Amino acid sequence: MFRSFAFRPAERWCRSRSASSLFFPSWNFPIGLSLEPLVGAVAAGNAVVLKPSELAPASSNFLATNIPKYLEKTVRVVEGGPHMGEQLLEHKWDKIFFTGSSRVGRIIMAAAAKHLTPVSLELGGKCPAIIDTLTSEGDIRVTINRVAAAKWGLCSGQACIAIDYLLVEETFAPLLIDFLKAKIKKTYLEPETLARIAHKQHFQRLSNFLKDPAVAVSVVHGGSFNAENMSFEPTILLNPPLDSEIMTEEIFGPMLPIITLKKIEDSIEFLKARPKPLAIYAFTTNEKLKRKIIEETSSGGICFNDAVVQFALDGLPFGGTGESGFGKYHGKFSFDEFSHGKAILRRNFLIEVSVRYPPWNERKLQFIRHVYNFNYFGILRMLLGFKR
Amino acid sequence: MRRRNHDKLQRPQQLELEDRRRRRGGRRKREMEMQVERVVEEAREAFESGGTRSYFWRRSQLRALKDLILESEIAICDALMLDLGKHRVEAFRDEVGLLAKSVDHALENLKKWMKPEKVRVPLVSFPSTGEVVPEPLGVILIIASWNFPIGLSLEPLIGAISAGNSVVLKPSELALASSKFLATSLPKYLDNKAVKVIEGGPLIGQQLLDQKWDKIFFTGSTRVGRIVMSAAAKHLTPVCLELGGKCPAIVDSLQGSRDIKVAINRIAGAKWGFCSGQACIAIDYLLVEEKYAPFLVDLLKEKIKKCYMRPGHLTRIVNKKQFERLREILEDPLVAATVVHGGSLDQENMFIEPTILMNPPLDSEVMTEEIFGPLLPIITLKKIADSIEFLKRRPKPLAIYAFTKDGKLKKRIVEETSSGSVTFNDAVVQFVVESLPFGGTGPSGFGKYHGKFSFAEFSHGKAVLKRSFLIEISLRYPPWSEDKLQFIRYFYTLNYIGMLLVLLGLHRYTST
């Protein structure tokens, strides 16, 4: 109480808008990743220039045609590819919001540095799902539903928060694989169910993963692909080499490596030795394990017994840490991300204490000591002493 | 002929000498690199071991830091006297006392700051709980400035330690005594595996920037800020840049003689009584109505004569380079012609007389660059409200000050200008208030600290969502249908009745 009393009258801080923001959304959720940050930027009172991804041309075109019909001139859409991106980066912005790969994230941040523009980088990473050895069949079925959906039901795994790979005890792996195979056969083989691979370059990248013989040999389900209609069969791999590309790069596709461990607690050390992902998932009822995961690993976020759904909750901040990026948004975090919290201190002329100013002497030093210690009696005594 | 032979002999020897020098320089550089790598590796190991995360470690380090500050008050003041000629009382006011207060604040609030924050989750996600868990970022690099060399090193250090990080601190090489003090004292009090000090100049700075960090906290100039951010981009390291700018003070035509006296005290204090104006939040220049200016100038002159002419009570200019920079500003004939008080320079003692300028050209260096010295330009306006447009046309400063009782003007300043902060009827003191975030915007930087903002700046707020297997709704999964679409529509509009109807009407879709 006494500490806060010292600096009356009013101190408070208020929001002032960030001004003009530049958005670079990604191609996998081209409408969502454009408009979600836009909600925050507009709520915070900014003007926005949005450059949708040229790799999703129909969505880009949709945004370019429709945004001007509904929103004021303060929100502009600029279509184009990397060259347009570079030109936009040469200008001065008050904030740049980027969703995409680490490689391009570096380019964006380096360009922003020239104008000292703060950036928010929503990058990716390999989001692991730790699957504990569950004993209840009901729990296993629910787990399988959620794991499968967070891989093959989410843009065919082409999502920053899709499950990238699984960590499972070696004794549990065979059962899990059987369940996953059954789930794939039942739900994820219909062509209309699966999003296709977005573009040729990406398709090439994914098929290259399987060209590594040491990886190909670890395929236990699926593995086939069709270059003509850019489709990939949901694929499961068991223990591909940890130094292969499929285990060092973010997959961003419908391949699911399963890495087996002697015991599930080993997953903590496994994760600590690797770059921080955007999300860690863990399917377990073991409270001790949950505690350990929270306290000993680091990631953008954690979700227990489900996956991806954290994206839908506005009360939770969404964003990465380390290699998965920095800055956060969703809900009020979006508003904050695009605001500057300006400190306002209102003082008045009523009380003036000359001990703040030179020329200096021991008494002034003593008085300042009392002020910093919130020693009100000491202050009063000295003031009376000064008056005398 | 002999001469030519002699020349021929000289050249190989010369080359060999140069080569040896280069190799020695290269070897020194490599040694420095190895030293830097070793220090960073140790700090990282200390963090990875998990030791810095516990409440007890953080508390013990903060307590040790408090002991260091209290026990070394004299040593700190001596170092600041050597580096900047800072008087003991000014050193206490601006660095020692302030730091002790900050550490106390952190110790009092650490438990609260470390506590996860529960987050409301919608009923539709029942049963689940959400919280935001603050976790340390990892290894932090703090690069401090020379004007408050102890304060600007230890204030962010308090935040970084509170948040559970390990830290490498590079004090400014332009404040050598303070740098030495930190390098010798910090290891005696703090966990020297997790809190490191590296002394050195730009070369060490560059080598540090080549390393991978989890955050870089920089206080200094815009020019170096760009270098820091560019280097950080290579590793995608988030940065906090506390830069400068020209902090204006809008001085309204005050009526009460007491109000005017207090305003003069505070303005003069925030320029000449504050590291001789060598501070990012010092008042840079004044904006005043033209009819009020002469009166203000007279009062300021009086104040200078009374309080700001005593040698030993004013900080000197830090070094020759800064001195020459300020000299050049004053030697611009168009600027020199506007000096209405002071202007004299004492190179031997590195002292520049408190100087007032009246309407120097707006395109001169004194009005386009941050002054960072004891020169106070006064710019006159027809009416004080014009100050708003004046400021809007210029880069956003770290602070805007306004001495006024006009409520409307205050409102306009808050709403129409942009700056790190705004302080009414005082200056610089916002730095002392822990509950206010301190940091810039635009060219004055980004990121904020002090109090709980420091803790947040050096933490990552990790979202943790706990769900259960209890309720499973297969309407979330493919294969898709119109009914599932309808359910999801109801879900997103939190239409519980709608969802229930779909569930009841389509019970064959419940989990198998």
Side-chain angles (χ1 to χ4, degrees):
Chain A
M1 184 189 83
F2 285 126
R3 289 181 78 87
S4 62
F5 191 72
F7 291 103
R8 303 288 181 193
E11 76 221 16
R12 66 187 168 89
W13 54 298
C14 71
R15 307 283 175 183
S16 71
R17 63 178 179 81
S18 189
S20 64
S21 305
L22 173 64
F23 287 4
F24 287 114
S26 176
W27 49 262
N28 51 345
F29 298 87
I31 307 292
L33 295 176
S34 300
L35 300 185
E36 181 70 50
L38 185 68
V39 167
V42 164
N46 299 282
V48 178
V49 170
L50 165 65
K51 192 202 93 53
S53 173
E54 72 283 8
L55 300 175
S59 304
S60 174
N61 191 254
F62 168 82
L63 291 166
T65 338
N66 287 284
I67 282 182
K69 291 180 190 167
Y70 289 83
L71 286 142
E72 292 173 15
K73 290 196 179 74
T74 49
V75 180
R76 302 277 193 163
V77 183
V78 175
E79 294 192 86
H83 184 61
M84 177 58 78
E86 274 163 25
Q87 287 185 333
L88 284 166
L89 286 172
E90 276 166 26
H91 293 268
K92 182 167 166 25
W93 302 93
D94 296 296
K95 181 100 181 188
I96 297 176
F97 189 94
F98 170 77
T99 310
S101 70
S102 305
R103 185 189 68 83
V104 180
R106 282 184 178 86
I107 298 170
I108 303 265
M109 191 170 167
K114 296 193 196 89
H115 296 289
L116 291 168
T117 301
V119 300
S120 187
L121 301 179
E122 301 285 322
L123 309 177
K126 293 180 74 62
C127 299
I130 299 168
I131 319 257
D132 200 358
T133 302
L134 301 162
T135 45
S136 140
E137 197 183 311
D139 291 354
I140 296 172
R141 286 191 187 283
V142 172
T143 297
I144 294 296
N145 283 347
R146 295 174 180 181
V147 166
K151 178 59 115 174
W152 300 297
L154 184 73
C155 204
S156 279
Q158 297 167 104
C160 52
I161 44 168
I163 290 177
D164 192 279
Y165 65 100
L166 304 185
L167 290 164
V168 178
E169 271 176 359
E170 51 192 13
T171 47
F172 191 56
L175 181 68
L176 196 72
I177 290 172
D178 285 341
F179 270 106
L180 284 169
K181 282 181 181 177
K183 177 55 58 175
I184 289 170
K185 283 196 183 97
K186 188 175 172 194
T187 309
Y188 295 100
L189 285 182
E190 296 294 314
E192 310 84 63
T193 305
L194 295 175
R196 68 162 196 270
I197 305 307
H199 48 93
K200 222 171 169 181
Q201 193 192 7
H202 190 52
F203 187 89
Q204 197 58 47
R205 185 181 159 270
L206 291 173
S207 49
N208 282 344
F209 283 146
L210 295 181
K211 285 187 179 139
D212 179 349
V215 171
V217 91
S218 67
V219 171
V220 295
H221 181 88
S224 66
F225 45 87
N226 185 332
E228 207 183 291
N229 52 23
M230 301 248 270
S231 66
F232 247 103
E233 196 186 348
T235 299
I236 305 174
L237 306 97
L238 185 62
N239 286 320
L242 292 177
D243 59 357
S244 60
E245 226 178 277
I246 205 172
M247 282 309 296
T248 54
E249 299 293 315
E250 186 177 6
I251 297 169
F252 228 68
M255 283 155 250
L256 181 67
I258 298 178
I259 306 296
T260 59
L261 308 160
K262 283 245 161 344
K263 49 189 208 315
I264 202 65
E265 287 77 11
D266 296 344
S267 55
I268 310 256
E269 283 311 309
F270 186 95
L271 294 180
K272 278 167 76 168
R274 284 162 177 78
K276 302 176 190 186
L278 193 45
I280 290 175
Y281 303 113
F283 292 82
T284 178
T285 50
N286 179 342
E287 292 303 318
K288 255 174 123 176
L289 179 62
K290 287 183 191 176
R291 180 102 254 122
K292 273 197 90 174
I293 291 169
I294 294 174
E295 289 174 0
E296 295 182 36
T297 66
S298 186
S299 56
I302 298 179
C303 186
F304 289 109
N305 300 329
D306 211 327
V308 171
V309 291
Q310 72 276 16
F311 195 89
L313 293 180
D314 307 303
L316 286 172
F318 182 83
T321 185
E323 289 82 356
S324 47
F326 50 83
K328 39 190 185 260
Y329 73 129
H330 285 193
K332 80 170 173 44
F333 301 99
S334 289
F335 182 89
D336 290 345
E337 191 68 20
F338 294 103
S339 300
H340 160 60
K342 182 162 75 176
I344 312 281
L345 180 63
R346 293 171 199 272
R347 298 263 296 144
N348 68 36
F349 299 117
L350 188 67
I351 295 174
E352 174 69 341
V353 178
S354 63
V355 293
R356 299 167 47 169
Y357 315 111
W360 303 118
N361 57 44
E362 276 304 310
R363 291 189 77 183
K364 288 188 178 181
L365 175 60
Q366 193 53 38
F367 191 93
I368 295 170
R369 254 189 237 284
H370 288 323
V371 169
Y372 280 144
N373 290 329
F374 300 98
N375 182 348
Y376 296 102
F377 295 116
I379 293 170
L380 193 64
R381 241 187 23 233
M382 288 198 75
L383 279 172
L384 292 170
F386 276 131
K387 278 218 156 80
R388 259 186 260 121
Chain B
M1 182 78 88
R2 250 194 294 163
R3 197 192 196 72
R4 230 178 287 143
N5 285 340
H6 176 73
D7 283 344
K8 271 192 190 155
L9 282 168
Q10 275 288 81
R11 241 179 290 145
Q13 280 173 354
Q14 190 89 356
L15 285 170
E16 203 191 305
L17 204 65
E18 277 167 15
D19 191 41
R20 248 187 269 151
R21 273 198 206 117
R22 230 187 339 263
R23 272 186 274 134
R24 255 204 312 267
R27 202 168 39 235
R28 251 199 305 272
K29 191 175 173 201
R30 184 63 205 137
E31 274 166 16
M32 246 194 266
E33 264 169 29
M34 286 170 64
Q35 184 210 3
V36 164
E37 282 165 15
R38 206 170 36 241
V39 163
V40 178
E41 206 180 298
E42 278 175 21
R44 188 156 293 285
E45 268 166 25
F47 178 73
E48 299 292 341
S49 73
T52 63
R53 287 180 179 249
S54 76
Y55 168 73
F56 298 104
W57 182 86
R58 303 182 203 195
R59 189 182 66 176
S60 74
Q61 296 305 291
L62 289 172
R63 280 181 174 167
L65 197 56
K66 185 175 174 183
D67 289 342
L68 184 159
I69 294 165
L70 294 179
E71 288 166 17
S72 313
E73 182 183 322
I74 310 268
I76 292 174
C77 292
D78 286 346
L80 292 170
M81 172 59 78
L82 271 170
D83 285 332
L84 289 150
K86 245 184 224 192
H87 192 284
R88 191 168 154 236
V89 181
E90 187 180 333
F92 181 86
R93 184 196 66 181
D94 295 346
E95 300 202 54
V96 180
L98 205 50
L99 282 169
K101 184 174 80 66
S102 270
V103 175
D104 275 339
H105 182 74
L107 279 164
E108 266 177 45
N109 291 281
L110 184 60
K111 247 196 187 141
K112 189 171 70 176
W113 293 343
M114 284 177 70
K115 211 163 161 237
E117 191 189 323
K118 290 233 178 303
V119 158
R120 264 182 57 190
V121 294
L123 187 61
V124 79
S125 65
F126 180 85
S128 53
T129 59
E131 58 183 10
V132 180
V133 177
E135 65 172 26
L137 294 171
V139 186
I140 313 291
L141 172 64
I142 296 175
I143 301 175
S145 175
W146 51 260
N147 50 347
F148 298 88
I150 308 290
L152 295 177
S153 299
L154 300 185
E155 182 70 52
L157 182 70
I158 291 169
I161 287 175
S162 304
N165 299 283
S166 63
V167 181
V168 174
L169 165 65
K170 192 198 103 45
S172 173
E173 73 283 9
L174 301 178
L176 272 174
S178 303
S179 174
K180 188 146 188 266
F181 167 79
L182 291 166
T184 18
S185 308
L186 279 173
K188 289 184 189 161
Y189 285 79
L190 272 71
D191 176 354
N192 58 21
K193 288 199 171 58
V195 181
K196 306 275 193 189
V197 184
I198 291 197
E199 293 191 86
L203 186 58
I204 282 277
Q206 189 53 58
Q207 290 177 343
L208 284 165
L209 289 174
D210 288 340
Q211 308 298 314
K212 180 167 164 35
W213 304 95
D214 296 293
K215 185 122 192 181
I216 300 176
F217 186 96
F218 171 78
T219 310
S221 70
T222 308
R223 184 187 68 84
V224 181
R226 284 193 180 90
I227 296 171
V228 170
M229 192 170 167
S230 301
K234 294 192 198 90
H235 297 288
L236 291 169
T237 301
V239 299
C240 179
L241 301 178
E242 299 283 322
L243 310 177
K246 292 180 76 61
C247 299
I250 299 168
V251 188
D252 201 357
S253 306
L254 299 163
Q255 298 306 312
S257 66
R258 192 176 175 278
D259 291 353
I260 297 167
K261 265 172 116 170
V262 172
I264 293 292
N265 281 349
R266 294 174 180 182
I267 291 166
K271 178 60 124 178
W272 301 297
F274 191 49
C275 206
S276 283
Q278 298 169 103
C280 53
I281 45 169
I283 289 178
D284 192 278
Y285 64 100
L286 303 186
L287 290 165
V288 178
E289 269 179 9
E290 52 193 12
K291 51 184 198 320
Y292 194 61
F295 180 51
L296 196 72
V297 170
D298 285 340
L299 287 172
L300 283 169
K301 281 181 182 176
E302 228 180 274
K303 179 56 53 176
I304 289 170
K305 283 192 185 104
K306 191 170 171 201
C307 301
Y308 296 98
M309 290 302 290
R310 293 212 203 163
H313 287 250
L314 296 182
T315 305
R316 65 164 191 267
I317 306 304
V318 69
N319 59 19
K320 200 163 180 227
K321 187 174 168 198
Q322 290 298 322
F323 190 91
E324 289 307 314
R325 183 183 65 85
L326 291 162
R327 183 210 288 281
E328 267 174 43
I329 286 176
L330 279 174
E331 281 176 355
D332 175 348
L334 292 172
V335 171
T338 67
V339 172
V340 293
H341 180 89
S344 69
L345 305 128
D346 174 1
Q347 187 164 348
E348 202 185 308
N349 295 310
M350 299 277 258
F351 182 74
I352 296 178
E353 195 187 351
T355 300
I356 306 174
L357 306 102
M358 181 65 82
N359 284 319
L362 293 178
D363 59 356
S364 60
E365 213 180 304
V366 80
M367 283 309 298
T368 55
E369 300 294 316
E370 187 176 5
I371 296 169
F372 231 67
L375 318 177
L376 181 67
I378 298 179
I379 305 297
T380 59
L381 307 161
K382 284 246 162 337
K383 46 189 208 313
I384 202 63
D386 295 345
S387 54
I388 310 253
E389 280 313 308
F390 186 95
L391 293 180
K392 278 165 79 168
R393 283 197 300 272
R394 285 164 174 78
K396 302 176 192 185
L398 194 45
I400 289 175
Y401 303 113
F403 292 83
T404 179
K405 293 175 105 162
D406 179 350
K408 264 176 144 171
L409 179 62
K410 286 183 191 177
K411 191 160 187 279
R412 281 197 69 195
I413 290 169
V414 169
E415 290 176 1
E416 297 181 42
T417 66
S418 186
S419 55
S421 65
V422 177
T423 299
F424 291 110
N425 300 327
D426 211 326
V428 169
V429 290
Q430 73 277 15
F431 194 87
V432 175
V433 181
E434 297 127 351
S435 48
L436 287 173
F438 183 83
T441 184
S444 49
F446 50 82
K448 40 189 187 261
Y449 73 131
H450 286 192
K452 71 171 188 244
F453 301 100
S454 288
F455 182 87
E457 191 67 30
F458 294 107
S459 299
H460 161 59
K462 182 162 74 178
V464 177
L465 178 62
K466 291 185 180 174
R467 298 262 299 139
S468 112
F469 298 118
L470 190 65
I471 295 177
E472 174 70 339
I473 298 170
S474 59
L475 294 157
R476 336 173 2 184
Y477 310 116
W480 303 120
S481 67
E482 275 307 310
D483 294 322
K484 288 188 178 182
L485 175 60
Q486 192 53 45
F487 182 85
I488 296 170
R489 263 192 231 281
Y490 286 138
F491 182 95
Y492 278 138
T493 49
L494 302 178
N495 184 340
Y496 295 98
I497 295 176
M499 281 190 274
L500 194 62
L501 288 174
V502 173
L503 280 167
L504 290 174
L506 299 160
H507 61 268
R508 68 181 179 279
Y509 283 105
T510 52
S511 62
T512 50

